[in-house]
Amino acid sequence: MGEPSPVLEMTGIRKVFPGVVALDGVDFRLLPGEIHALMGENGAGKSTLIKVLTGVYDIDGGQITLGGEQVDFTGPLQSQKAGVSTVYQEVNLCTNLTVAENIFIGREPRKFGRIQWGLMRKRAAELLARLDLNIDVSATLDTYSLAIQQMVAIARAVDVSARVLILDEPTSSLDASEVAQLFTIMRRLKDDGVAILFVSHFLDQVYEISDRLTVLRNGQLIGEYKTADLPQVQLVEKMIGKELAVLEDLEDKSQRIRAKTADAAPILAATGLGRTGAISPFDLTIHQGEVVGLAGLLGSGRTELARLLFGADRADSGSLQIDGKDVTLRSPQAAMKRGIAFSSENRRTEGILGELSVRENIILALQASRGWTRPIPRRKQDEIVDKYIKALQIRPADPEREVRNLSGGNQQKVLLARWLITEPRLLIIDEPTRGIDVGAKAEIQKLVAELSDGGMAVLFVSAELEEVLRLSHKIEVLRDRRLVEELENTEGVDADRIMQTIASGATQ
Amino acid sequence: MTTIDATPATNKTPSPTNPRRRVYLPNTKYIPILATLTLLLIMYFTGVANYENFGQPSVVVNLFRDNAVLIVVAVGMTFVIITGGIDLSVGAVISMTTTLTATLLQAGWPPLVVLPAVLLLGSLLGMGMGAVIHYFKVEPFIATLAGLFLARGIALFINQSSIPIRDKLWKAMSEYRIVLADGVVTKITSVTAVVVVLIAAAVLAWTRFGRNVYAIGGNADSALLMGLPVGRTKIAVYTLSGFCAALGGVLFSINSTSGWALQGQGLELDAIAACVIGGVLLTGGSGYVFGSLLGVMVYGLIQTIITFQGDLNAAWTRIIVGLLLFGFIVLQRVVTRRAR
């Protein structure tokens, strides 16, 4: 059959950081016209490999050949010029500029030094039309959704250089239809002969879109496989290097405790609670020891609902009862006083303070609830922190490590620990598993189940239906900023059932 | 905060039947500048209605004459603020330039050497501050504050008192009248200011440098990843502001045919205020030179009205500017929030 010769070949790549071997003799190759998934847990070396490829890092060993020629990138500009473009998870464009400018800035068509705006807009429109995107290119980028922004970023990357396109977690902020749109574009580029390197934590997406995949673990190459030849379970095993039995446990457990919660006392009851423009009035009761899952697409009002219950936003209609008493939550502090904790979805921007240590991050909420005039004694701090580092298996188990040096999954655990030490009775977790690897995901899910066993109520917000189904006793389905259905999580309820609810009665 | 999730997925389904947004949000980026223009027109016609002779063309023409220095300085400031920075040194650079110009001319230097020399000096000082800001990652506020002290110090070191300029060329430029129409005359300084505005507007809109300025103000990290020359552009922007300040100083010395180390105190704040009133976003990434020009005009028109009124304290200028600043900052907030 004869495979086409690879457009990119990396052999024996070695990269050492102080104290850590990030990449240890890794081989990687990309064929033209393929979508190649790079798989591995957080910390496996995926990001490092990409940064080596894009010239952000120098290599300590090995060599890279692009189109048959050996290359040595000294910065993102060189690699871009050589034909390697990257689109990152956070869209790296300027949202204050127009779509056309974002595609062409730095390469604008000019005549006598003067930018030819008309020509630029025309070319931008043509380029986007090839990606089936017919939008107004003279509007500023911030008027478009994140998905569109991402596609504009891809259009720019492809136009700059069309040989190798790296997509680093492009789908993590997109909803299902947007992902489909992105995949259409990826397939089109693939047909044009572009080699695409795709990184995603969503296994289903990897299986849907990729032709081959390369698995890394702990900075080492585990292997390169044809996606079709490698069952998902085996892939996961290769990624984490151990068999994944934890998830199986969970299934029975949630069945087991369902009966128990039915007659437990309600902790929180919302009646007609709502906020104009954020979420329509809804009724919701959460019992002790109950895991309530919030399902719905991005922008369906999941986070908005959670924020109301935490007092982060003020409700403008309806009432809220906590322990049978009417309350108005004016601020998150008020909610915390009543035993409600909220772990935010944006761990980077709203939760984790990267420059502080693990210990300081964990202690933060407890200290805040005590008031800053009564510092927690250092010995007590160490005690608490050690306990939770052990309980949540935060790695590395070093309380003085700066949090920004931890992987995403471990940062999430730190954030959870922060709220857990305040011993809340209702824990609201928004997207705790987004952007973290399979192993850490399982651990966090397990933890949620255990907390609920221990009598804590959990409001679990997640974009992944499988996860919601696995953990929740009861599932609230949101659509278009409205709570449309409450489902007891019984035998008959599965992802399809929820999808139907999300989809049915849609405005079209 | 859910920022991104909540974004209404505009134009997600690409269809021509989506012009609604374009109608009720005509172009968010123009709202502040339109507001300033409206305010300016209201102020102008209020003046015309209330005061005799206010409607004469010379009132408008004199606005440019009286505020030529501020216009030029505000132009440089506009570039800096669009990149998300700030330049506090401009007032001091003006005083340094006027003092130096007067001293050198008094010492008998040829005016055609003095002129480029002081402009170069201002630019170099700006370049130095830009380099410090870029290479040492120093906050523009601090770096240009240092520049402020430095320039003002140099000016005071040279001479603490007012130095008259007796140079022929300077005198000639100061006295030269340009007749625009019957009874409407203006000076070289106002023409210079207008030319600077036009050139700057063209540079911002039509050159790569201009667009890079916007890109850096929008998101400097992204700009870097997109391969734009971020460092070079930043340094260039402060150089440009230094040049504009020095040019402002030259205009000052022409207007007053003197140099004085205490000249232009607080002018940097006037320039910043003019930019903000003119719709330049202090966080960077948005604004126009014409906006800043309108901001200066608002400033000047307030003073003109107070002069025409005759019985008002000059402090009212500052009070009104203060109130306007509040108003425009709130407007910017509202507009940018809506754009998100």
Side-chain angles (χ1 to χ4, degrees), chain A residues 96 101 108 115 143-144 350, chain B residues 1 10-11 206 208 211 285:
Chain A
N96 62 323
E101 274 200 279
E108 300 97 333
I115 294 171
T143 54
Y144 293 107
E350 285 179 32
Chain B
M1 281 200 317
T10 23
N11 300 350
W206 285 321
R208 282 195 183 163
R211 303 322 294 175

Side-chain angles (χ1 to χ4, degrees), chain A residues 135-153:
Chain A
I135 57 175
D136 178 3
V137 294
S138 57
T140 52
L141 196 66
D142 55 13
T143 54
Y144 293 107
S145 70
L146 200 64
I148 302 276
Q149 294 185 17
Q150 196 124 42
M151 288 167 207
V152 171

Side-chain angles (χ1 to χ4, degrees), chain B residues 41-243:
Chain B
L41 292 177
I42 291 173
M43 281 168 57
Y44 181 73
F45 286 108
T46 312
V48 172
N50 285 310
Y51 310 110
E52 216 178 324
N53 297 334
F54 200 96
Q56 291 194 346
S58 63
V59 168
V60 177
V61 172
N62 288 351
L63 275 180
F64 285 88
R65 186 198 63 197
D66 298 340
N67 297 290
V69 176
L70 188 55
I71 290 173
V72 172
V73 171
V75 165
M77 188 69 79
T78 307
F79 278 75
V80 172
I81 296 183
I82 292 176
T83 64
I86 197 108
D87 187 352
L88 298 180
S89 70
V90 290
V93 170
I94 285 176
S95 76
M96 182 180 78
T97 310
T98 65
T99 320
L100 202 62
T101 306
T103 311
L104 291 179
L105 289 174
Q106 214 175 32
W109 284 44
L112 289 177
V113 174
V114 173
L115 182 66
V118 292
L119 292 180
L120 186 68
L121 185 70
S123 311
L124 283 178
L125 184 72
M127 188 191 273
M129 290 186 300
V132 167
I133 290 166
H134 173 64
Y135 290 112
F136 299 101
K137 308 258 174 286
V138 175
E139 283 296 314
F141 188 96
I142 297 300
T144 59
L145 186 66
L148 183 160
F149 279 104
L150 191 66
R152 183 76 67 189
I154 291 173
L156 287 166
F157 175 78
I158 295 172
N159 200 330
Q160 302 204 2
S161 47
S162 179
I163 316 153
I165 295 176
R166 297 201 178 79
D167 180 78
K168 281 202 194 95
L169 181 65
W170 245 254
K171 283 247 185 244
M173 287 196 288
S174 176
E175 281 154 17
Y176 190 77
R177 296 285 184 275
I178 300 162
V179 181
L180 295 176
D182 201 20
V184 184
V185 290
T186 189
K187 294 171 87 174
I188 287 180
T189 48
S190 3
V191 176
T192 312
V194 172
V195 171
V196 167
V197 168
L198 292 177
I199 293 175
V203 166
L204 266 186
W206 285 321
T207 65
R208 282 195 183 163
F209 168 69
R211 303 322 294 175
N212 291 349
V213 167
Y214 282 99
I216 290 173
N219 189 334
D221 295 335
S222 294
L224 198 64
L225 284 172
M226 286 197 278
L228 303 180
V230 172
R232 210 170 69 206
T233 308
K234 264 194 189 170
I235 294 172
V237 157
Y238 286 93
T239 311
L240 184 83
S241 179
F243 173 84

